[in-house]
Amino acid sequence: LGAAAAAAAAPEAQAEATRRLLNRVADAAFRVIDEDGDGRLDAAEFSGAVLLVLAVANGKAAPDAPILRRLAFRVVDEDGDGLVSERELLRWVRLALEHGTAPAGAQLEPRGPFGLFGTRTLTPAKLTRKWLRAADSDGDGALSQDDFALLAPSLRVHEVIASLARRFAV
């Protein structure tokens, strides 16, 4: 009976975690859409948001669209310090791999010169470090918004969010 109750609680706990994440996304989305930072959406900001939602919902949003990069940065930067740390990035790399939104073959790395010895599969932590090193322009171990813009198309945070939203009704 205890195991059955725990099994029933697991989906509820996962759904609650997803709701918290989506609430965070909603807050980050508002901060990105509110371009002038006045805490209100004017008609132009609202119209832009509606068009973005429609483009994402219809699969027509370019993964490198500036507004999607800004949204992704705000969502991934959990502590709001203006930098994405390795820990913050790792969470989203795992989600991108889990939801199949990472580029095909992202975890594969050639072994030896020109892949002479085949390939190896990178763990999410190693893939995170690889992407972080590739995008970290100043070598401080964290990504600024400009650094993160290089990774945003690969991470596809908006697709992970859409996948989570479809999985759990909120």
Side-chain angles (χ1 to χ4, degrees):
L1 191 60
E12 290 175 18
Q14 192 172 14
E16 179 57 31
T18 301
R19 279 188 206 90
R20 284 194 310 272
L21 176 63
L22 292 176
N23 284 337
R24 180 168 163 60
V25 168
D27 179 56
F30 182 84
R31 288 182 286 133
V32 169
I33 295 165
D34 180 22
E35 292 180 8
D36 59 11
D38 67 356
R40 296 177 293 160
L41 297 182
D42 61 29
E45 291 167 334
F46 179 77
S47 298
V50 169
L51 291 173
L52 175 64
V53 168
L54 290 172
V56 170
N58 291 312
K60 304 290 185 193
D64 61 348
I67 195 162
L68 288 180
R69 288 194 311 257
R70 288 193 309 271
L71 172 60
F73 183 80
R74 294 272 179 120
V75 171
V76 175
D77 178 21
E78 291 178 27
D79 60 12
D81 68 352
L83 295 170
V84 172
S85 68
E86 184 174 336
R87 181 191 59 75
E88 290 168 331
L89 183 59
L90 175 58
R91 177 178 187 198
W92 286 92
V93 168
R94 283 183 176 139
L95 285 168
L97 292 169
E98 176 186 335
H99 291 271
T101 63
Q107 282 186 278
L108 299 178
E109 183 175 80
R111 296 182 68 183
F114 309 107
L116 186 62
F117 302 113
T119 58
R120 67 178 177 152
T121 302
L122 298 175
T123 65
K126 287 184 180 182
L127 179 59
T128 299
R129 282 192 288 282
K130 177 182 174 180
W131 282 359
L132 184 70
R133 281 192 309 268
D136 185 9
S137 64
D138 61 7
D140 66 352
L143 301 177
S144 68
Q145 191 162 356
D146 289 338
D147 293 339
F148 184 81
L150 298 173
L151 276 185
S154 294
L155 206 50
R156 298 180 186 162
V157 170
H158 66 288
E159 291 180 20
V160 173
I161 293 166
S163 177
L164 286 166
R166 283 190 298 271
R167 185 183 296 177
F168 298 102
V170 279

